[in-house]
Amino acid sequence: MKKNSIWLNNKDVNCPKLEQDMEADVLIIGGGITGLSCLLELKNSKLKTILVERNMCGHGVTSRSTAKITYLQEQIIMNIRKSSYDHASLYLASQRDAVKMLKKIISSNHIDCDFRQVSSYLFTNDEANVSKLEEEYNFLKNNGVKVEKATLEGVPNILALKVDDTFVFHPLKYINHLKTMFQDSIFEKSKVEKIDKKDGYYYSLVNGYKIKSKYVIIATHYPYFLIPFLFPFKTHVETSYIGAKEVKNIQDISAINIDKPCISMRYHYDGKKNYLIYLYQSFSSCNIKSIEENFRKLNSFDFIWSNKDIITNDYIPFIGRLYQDDDTFLIASGYNTWGMTNGSLAGKILSDIILKKDNPYINLFAPHRHLNINKVLRFPIDVGCSMKAIFKSTKNNVNNSKVIYKKIDRKNVAVYRDKNGKEHIVLNKCPHMKCGLVLNEVEETWDCLCHGSRFALDGKCIEGPSNFDITFKP
């Protein structure tokens, strides 16, 4: 069993490390599907664009996706419809456009990324949820979707909805092709340490060097800053557990239910073997009791990994201006588990803002959009979840028996001895907002339950929002 995503079982394209001062019109921070999509959308403009990534492009959340390209997205549209039918219709249109956009990008650029058309299913095995699917069926029909009621073979279900204009792909093959297209504009292993603004320009400190730019796009999974947007109080982090195992045959389907526990599935052929990719269960990270126990359902799989997603309080991503009247500092985050469509869409929305082009989705995804019923109802829940995660991490009550917490040289540290007997000592607070860290023994990382930062056993930060390591230096 390999304890990493199946997508990482792939040869990488390498880009250089930033080692000099530079100037650009646009600086993109983050090399996942959002950052690379922004780079792609700006390629025909006259704007010089640079992308920096603290690790390797695509090795963050993009590499841990199930990599579906679909608009049948669990209960997302149902939840949006609770506050606004029109917003739900516009969100559906955005996702259908994103599917078409990805298809066109892959075709026109001849990208070999195991792109395959499949039928997507949304299903339930709970009598109480049948009426929800019936309402979703009518909503999709009323919005011009060719949808049919069906039965999904091989999975317990009472009712399923089926559409045929959806796809799956290999996300890192896609990312690596884009990297070859823009290799001179991408810098990996290049961490942004600080951003200042002076005289209308941004000065970003990267690896000790300065990048001067007119625009900055924050395309990281979770923004590193708290103020001005107060991001942690408008979202919560959800963790899911995913496996891939070899099967005899593959089917041209992808599927997800609307029940609890969440079940999501698709198939993949890697050129030699067929695989079922299966997601079992998603938790708000504040409710995780045992990481090891959550992986137990996937013990028979050849690859196992987890993913962390940002869930917004109104189920619509934040894509656009960080400051309401400022087109120069833009963000994209909070994809509610559907990053392949929304990350690609973000590239188009953000580039259109910079290029001053019309886009029908700018207001829908605007980070400073108006209050709605979902925002009002979810706000105390998200704040409560953040407080619960802080309390749990402070009390160190996840995997408590495997870690020793103590003080060394007046510093609070966590000590873990791995299966080979090697001792790992790290600072036990996440640098982002000082939440405690818990041990993810399965994937061999230190995880922050509050906001999703992850660190290697030696303390190196491998995923933000933390911008710093937790390495202990006596």
Side-chain angles (χ1 to χ4, degrees):
M1 179 190 292
K2 294 184 179 180
K3 298 176 182 179
N4 59 260
S5 164
I6 190 173
W7 312 127
L8 292 172
N9 199 34
N10 182 66
K11 187 176 180 180
D12 273 313
V13 173
N14 293 311
C15 292
K17 182 178 180 180
L18 187 80
E19 296 181 318
Q20 63 178 352
D21 292 343
M22 298 192 72
E23 290 191 22
D25 294 300
V26 183
L27 172 63
I28 301 168
I29 301 172
I33 193 164
T34 300
L36 271 296
S37 297
C38 290
L39 202 55
L40 177 68
E41 294 295 333
L42 290 168
K43 73 171 183 174
N44 293 324
S45 73
K46 295 181 180 179
L47 300 178
K48 181 180 179 181
T49 305
I50 292 173
L51 183 149
V52 295
E53 162 59 42
R54 86 161 94 197
N55 294 311
M56 296 285 290
C57 288
H59 279 219
V61 174
T62 299
S63 71
R64 295 196 291 273
S65 166
T66 55
K68 297 177 180 180
I69 306 172
T70 180
Y71 52 89
L72 289 191
Q73 300 177 356
E74 199 182 3
Q75 296 196 45
I76 296 297
I77 293 175
M78 298 179 193
N79 289 331
I80 297 172
R81 199 163 65 240
K82 290 176 183 177
S83 61
S84 172
Y85 187 98
D86 290 343
H87 286 172
S89 293
L90 194 58
Y91 179 82
L92 171 62
S94 76
Q95 301 307 289
R96 296 183 74 191
D97 278 352
V99 171
K100 294 172 186 175
M101 183 171 63
L102 268 167
K103 180 181 179 181
K104 184 177 179 181
I105 289 168
I106 291 167
S107 175
S108 61
N109 291 286
H110 308 290
I111 301 177
D112 179 11
C113 59
D114 305 332
F115 184 71
R116 191 171 86 252
Q117 185 166 356
V118 298
S119 296
S120 284
Y121 290 82
L122 187 66
F123 70 95
T124 183
N125 194 39
D126 185 346
E127 287 283 0
N129 282 334
V130 170
S131 61
K132 290 184 179 181
L133 271 191
E134 292 282 2
E135 289 177 10
E136 190 78 350
Y137 172 78
N138 292 329
F139 175 80
L140 294 170
K141 292 281 285 186
N142 290 338
N143 281 272
V145 176
K146 293 182 179 178
V147 58
E148 60 183 89
K149 297 178 183 179
T151 301
L152 180 58
E153 294 184 10
V155 177
N157 64 101
I158 300 170
L159 176 64
L161 306 183
K162 174 189 173 188
V163 298
D164 293 323
D165 54 340
T166 58
F167 304 86
V168 293
F169 75 147
H170 189 306
L172 276 192
K173 286 186 177 180
Y174 178 76
I175 292 294
N176 280 328
H177 188 101
L178 295 185
K179 285 171 70 174
T180 62
M181 293 171 61
F182 305 109
Q183 215 157 0
D184 294 337
S185 301
I186 298 173
F187 297 91
E188 295 179 317
K189 298 181 180 178
S190 300
K191 184 176 76 171
V192 177
E193 300 159 6
K194 187 179 181 183
I195 303 174
D196 291 318
K197 189 175 185 181
K198 182 180 179 181
D199 299 329
Y201 289 91
Y202 293 97
Y203 294 87
S204 302
L205 190 64
V206 183
N207 292 348
Y209 299 95
K210 284 188 178 180
I211 298 178
K212 178 183 177 182
S213 65
K214 296 177 183 177
Y215 301 89
V216 169
I217 295 175
I218 304 295
T220 55
H221 175 58
Y222 197 117
Y224 65 90
F225 46 78
L226 172 62
I227 298 172
F229 194 60
L230 299 176
F231 197 88
F233 302 106
K234 300 176 181 179
T235 63
H236 69 271
V237 177
E238 188 171 281
T239 302
S240 52
Y241 299 86
I242 308 164
K245 68 177 178 180
E246 188 177 352
V247 292
K248 186 175 181 180
N249 298 306
I250 63 173
Q251 301 179 53
D252 288 331
I253 66 168
S254 75
I256 190 167
N257 67 353
I258 62 170
D259 309 329
K260 295 296 180 185
C262 178
I263 294 173
S264 174
M265 56 184 288
R266 58 157 289 194
Y267 292 87
H268 171 64
Y269 174 63
D270 71 354
K272 295 180 181 179
K273 299 178 180 179
N274 297 315
Y275 288 94
L276 166 68
I277 297 174
Y278 187 84
L279 181 152
Y280 176 81
Q281 191 56 281
S282 293
F283 295 95
S284 293
S285 294
C286 64
N287 293 322
I288 292 175
K289 295 179 180 178
S290 169
I291 294 171
E292 190 173 10
E293 181 64 29
N294 293 336
F295 272 112
R296 204 175 299 282
K297 295 283 186 181
L298 303 171
N299 277 349
S300 64
F301 284 66
D302 301 302
F303 297 83
I304 60 171
W305 68 96
S306 67
N307 197 10
K308 295 184 185 300
D309 289 286
I310 311 304
I311 312 300
T312 64
N313 51 24
D314 64 355
Y315 306 100
I316 298 173
F318 296 124
I319 303 172
R321 303 170 179 90
L322 180 63
Y323 304 96
Q324 282 184 282
D325 300 317
D326 183 359
D327 290 350
T328 65
F329 201 93
L330 309 174
I331 63 167
S333 185
Y335 295 157
N336 301 289
T337 79
W338 297 100
M340 298 302 99
T341 50
N342 283 304
S344 303
L345 189 68
K348 178 63 175 167
I349 292 173
L350 298 181
S351 64
D352 283 347
I353 290 174
I354 289 173
L355 299 173
K356 304 193 184 309
K357 293 182 178 180
D358 291 333
N359 187 300
Y361 307 120
I362 288 176
N363 290 334
L364 177 68
F365 292 96
H368 295 278
R369 53 187 174 261
H370 296 303
L371 282 175
N372 58 50
I373 189 63
N374 278 331
K375 279 190 170 187
V376 172
L377 293 177
R378 288 293 312 178
F379 178 77
I381 297 173
D382 287 338
V383 172
C385 191
S386 292
M387 295 301 102
K388 184 178 179 181
I390 291 171
F391 177 78
K392 288 183 72 172
S393 65
T394 302
K395 293 297 182 181
N396 301 318
N397 61 357
V398 178
N399 301 103
N400 186 51
S401 62
K402 297 170 185 175
V403 181
I404 297 172
Y405 297 92
K406 61 182 182 179
K407 284 195 174 189
I408 301 178
D409 296 339
R410 298 183 180 179
K411 296 177 181 177
N412 292 314
V413 299
V415 183
Y416 167 64
R417 192 177 298 276
D418 66 26
K419 59 186 177 183
N420 297 317
K422 182 179 178 181
E423 190 175 65
H424 302 270
I425 304 176
V426 298
L427 302 175
N428 74 344
K429 298 291 184 184
C430 177
H432 173 234
M433 286 184 67
K434 305 305 179 184
C435 293
L437 299 170
V438 299
L439 174 68
N440 178 344
E441 191 181 18
V442 176
E443 296 177 280
E444 298 186 323
T445 58
W446 300 98
D447 294 355
C448 174
L449 297 183
C450 300
H451 309 118
S453 296
R454 304 183 91 186
F455 306 84
L457 288 183
D458 64 3
K460 178 179 171 58
C461 183
I462 54 180
E463 184 177 326
S466 173
N467 211 25
F468 301 95
D469 300 334
I470 55 168
T471 307
F472 172 68
K473 297 178 180 179

